[in-house]
Amino acid sequence: MNDMSYNMSLNHEIERSSSMELKDGTLQILKNFSGINPNIMIRKGNVLKTISETKSMIAIATISEEFPQDFGIYDLNEFIGVLSLVDTPRLKFNDEYVTIGDSTGRSKVKYFFSAEETLTTPQKDVVMPGGEIQFVLTNDTMNKLKRAASALGHTEVSITGKNNIISLSVIENENYTSNTFSIDIDGIFPEDIDFNLILNINNLKILPGDYDVEIASGRIAQFTNKEHNVQYWIAIEKTSSYGV
C-alpha cells in the first residue's frame, strides 16, 4: 500500500471512529416521537425526551447509542428524511450542525441545529405516584380500539372497572345514546371507588407493542413498553370521574 492509499485509509478509520451510527430501534423511536411533537431537543447521553404541544403527553426513551452533545431539531420528520438519503447514516457532530455521511464517506449532508428557545421541550421529569389502576394493554387490544374508533367516528376511550374486570370502551362520552365498542380485560383497581376515566385516542401515539399501564388517582396514565425501554405519560381528560 503506498503512502497516499495508507493515509486515505487511516483518515477513513479516524472518521469512522469519531462518528456515531443510529440503530433501527432508535430511528423507530424518533419517528414515533415526531408524531407527538414535530421538534425535539436531544441532550447529551442516551435518553430521548419529548412533549406534545398541548403538554398532554410526555415520552421518554433510553437508547443504546450515546449522543456526544446537546442539539435541537426543529423539523424532526425532515431530519429523519435526511437520514434516509444515505445508506447506513453516520453522524459527525459540530457545534452548529451535524454531518450525515454514508458508509463509503462519499455522500454527506450538512444539517444545522435549531436553538432550544424555538423548540417545545419537557422542563422536568414526570414523578409518577403509585398507580391504583393497573392492567396490561396488548398490541392486539390497542389495534382493535383504534379500528373501532375509526369505524364509529369516536375519539375517546373510557376505562371503567367492576368485579376485577376492566372495560375499555370506545365512546362519545357526552352522548349517552352513541354507539360503543368495548373490550373486557383483567386488571387491578380499588373495588370501593367508582371511576370512568377518559383518554383521547388521538393522544395514544405510542410504539406498537404490549404495555403495562398504571393510572394514578384518575389524573395521569403511564404506559411502559414491555419490549423497548420507552415510557409515555398521558393526561386523563377533564371529563373523567374518579371516586365521585
Side-chain angles (χ1 to χ4, degrees):
M1 181 183 292
N2 59 39
D3 289 343
M4 181 176 291
S5 298
Y6 175 78
N7 288 334
M8 289 177 64
S9 176
L10 180 61
N11 289 336
H12 186 56
E13 289 302 315
I14 293 172
E15 181 78 15
R16 286 171 58 90
S17 65
S18 62
S19 62
M20 68 176 293
E21 206 174 297
L22 293 183
K23 297 181 179 178
D24 288 341
T26 299
L27 289 174
Q28 289 177 6
I29 289 170
L30 288 173
K31 289 177 183 177
N32 172 248
F33 281 17
S34 71
I36 299 171
N37 188 326
N39 55 64
I40 191 170
M41 185 70 195
I42 295 178
R43 303 294 183 185
K44 180 180 179 180
N46 66 337
V47 177
L48 301 175
K49 300 180 182 181
T50 191
I51 185 171
S52 64
E53 297 280 2
T54 60
K55 309 287 197 304
S56 60
M57 182 177 185
I58 293 176
I60 296 179
T62 301
I63 60 175
S64 57
E65 303 93 326
E66 291 270 349
F67 286 103
Q69 66 185 63
D70 294 355
F71 63 98
I73 300 295
Y74 186 77
D75 190 335
L76 185 52
N77 274 316
E78 180 185 74
F79 181 69
I80 294 169
V82 168
L83 292 174
S84 69
L85 293 176
V86 298
D87 70 294
T88 318
R90 291 189 172 92
L91 284 64
K92 184 177 181 182
F93 289 87
N94 293 274
D95 290 340
E96 297 182 348
Y97 62 87
V98 60
T99 302
I100 304 164
D102 65 4
S103 57
T104 68
R106 295 181 177 181
S107 298
K108 61 183 65 176
V109 179
K110 189 176 184 180
Y111 197 92
F112 281 88
F113 302 138
S114 297
E116 183 172 356
E117 56 267 24
T118 66
L119 312 175
T120 304
T121 62
Q123 298 303 308
K124 56 183 179 180
D125 291 336
V126 176
V127 179
M128 179 76 177
E132 300 93 344
I133 301 168
Q134 301 175 22
F135 58 91
V136 173
L137 179 64
T138 66
N139 191 57
D140 181 62
T141 297
M142 171 64 80
N143 287 337
K144 288 178 180 177
L145 292 173
K146 289 186 174 182
R147 288 199 302 268
S150 177
L152 295 172
H154 299 336
T155 60
E156 295 173 317
V157 175
S158 165
I159 303 170
T160 57
K162 187 176 182 179
N163 298 327
N164 295 320
I165 296 296
I166 286 178
S167 294
L168 305 177
S169 305
V170 176
I171 63 168
E172 186 179 347
N173 190 44
E174 296 184 357
N175 181 1
Y176 294 101
T177 63
S178 65
N179 299 318
T180 63
F181 170 85
S182 297
I183 300 179
D184 292 340
I185 60 174
D186 295 329
I188 299 172
F189 54 89
E191 288 281 358
D192 58 340
I193 295 179
D194 291 329
F195 58 89
N196 180 25
L197 306 179
I198 308 298
L199 285 171
N200 188 324
I201 205 162
N202 294 322
N203 286 335
L204 298 178
K205 298 173 180 177
I206 60 179
L207 279 174
D210 298 343
Y211 285 83
D212 289 320
V213 180
E214 295 186 36
I215 302 177
S217 302
R219 297 192 302 270
I220 188 168
Q222 175 181 284
F223 292 73
T224 303
N225 192 291
K226 283 178 164 290
E227 181 181 358
H228 304 287
N229 197 347
V230 58
Q231 289 182 302
Y232 304 84
W233 291 267
I234 302 174
I236 301 296
E237 295 296 300
K238 293 180 180 179
T239 52
S240 302
S241 61
Y242 184 83
V244 177

